[in-house]
Each structure stands twice: as structure tokens, then as C-alpha cells.
Amino acid sequence: MARWTEFEQLAAKILAELQPDAKVEWNDHIRGHLTETDRQIDVSIRWSDQGSDYLTIVQAKDTGTPADIGVVDEFVSVIRDVQANRGILVCRSGFSSAAHTYARNCGISLINLHDAQSINWSRELTIPILWTELTPNISLDVVAHFEAGDTIP
């Protein structure tokens, strides 16, 4: 089995465990509303809440370099085409700062996923490590009141 296939399946397994009430499917195919063709989706997550149906799609990138803005841009078009409620981009090597900014502004979650294995452990033991990369957007407002004779060092 190819390494990228194992990476996609690991992402699907972890996301299924994080959302046990959802239907998580690896290598799904969803009809695009704009392209009118089937789109291959690495992982789809479907669930219902209070009578509404939701779809999150996941794209997994097992690359040796951080994903750039082009990867996010391609994913945005797939999310729009299949009319997903949310998108999650998973990458083993992280993301460029431009990718962080673009994803944040498009409402896409960025996740690093590493399959940590040690040669000292059993070959059957795999401990997945999952974290979400966040790029904070901070603004600061300062109000100062001065009176005659005040000084600022």
C-alpha cells in the first residue's frame, strides 16, 4: 500500500474516532454541483443535527514540504463545488504562512498529522498525533488620557 494511502486512511481513522456519531468515509466520490462531475474526496464526514445534514470534506497531503497557498486554493474550489459545510486540510509537513492566512480567511481548518512510530515498539503499535495549527489575528486598541504637564518616558 502506498504511503499516501496509509496517510489518508490514518486521517480517516482519527477523524472517525473524534466524531463517533458521524459517517466517515475514506476515498469518497461526491458529485460536483458546478462541474457536474464526480469529485474524489480523500475523507468525507457526514452527520445530522436537529434535522439539518452537514458535510465536511478532508484533503490529506503527505508531502515533504509545507503546503502552500496553491494547495489551499485548489481545496477551496472543491469545497465550493461539492457544497461542503466545512473543509479540513491535513498535511504531514505543515503549512506556509500564506496558506495559514488564506485558510483562516476561507474558514478552512489546517491540521498537522504525524504517525509516530518507534523501532522499540511492537510493529502493531501506532500512536497518531494530531494538532490544529492556528495563526492568531491580534489587534490592540489603546486609549490614553493626558493632562497638562504629563510626560511620556
Side-chain angles (χ1 to χ4, degrees), residues 48 77 119 121 131:
S48 296
S77 68
I119 58 173
W121 299 341
W131 72 86

Side-chain angles (χ1 to χ4, degrees), residues 69-82:
I69 194 169
V71 171
V72 177
D73 197 39
E74 289 175 16
F75 190 45
V76 167
S77 68
V78 176
I79 293 169
R80 184 173 171 227
D81 190 24
V82 301

Side-chain angles (χ1 to χ4, degrees), residues 70-124:
V71 171
V72 177
D73 197 39
E74 289 175 16
F75 190 45
V76 167
S77 68
V78 176
I79 293 169
R80 184 173 171 227
D81 190 24
V82 301
Q83 297 180 345
N85 301 95
R86 183 170 174 233
I88 300 173
L89 191 54
V90 179
C91 186
R92 185 182 304 272
S93 299
F95 305 90
S96 70
S97 61
H100 274 280
T101 301
Y102 189 33
R104 181 184 67 237
N105 290 331
C106 292
I108 296 173
S109 298
L110 301 180
I111 297 176
N112 276 12
L113 178 66
H114 295 272
D115 186 13
Q117 293 182 337
S118 168
I119 58 173
N120 297 325
W121 299 341
S122 166
R123 297 185 92 184
E124 302 299 317

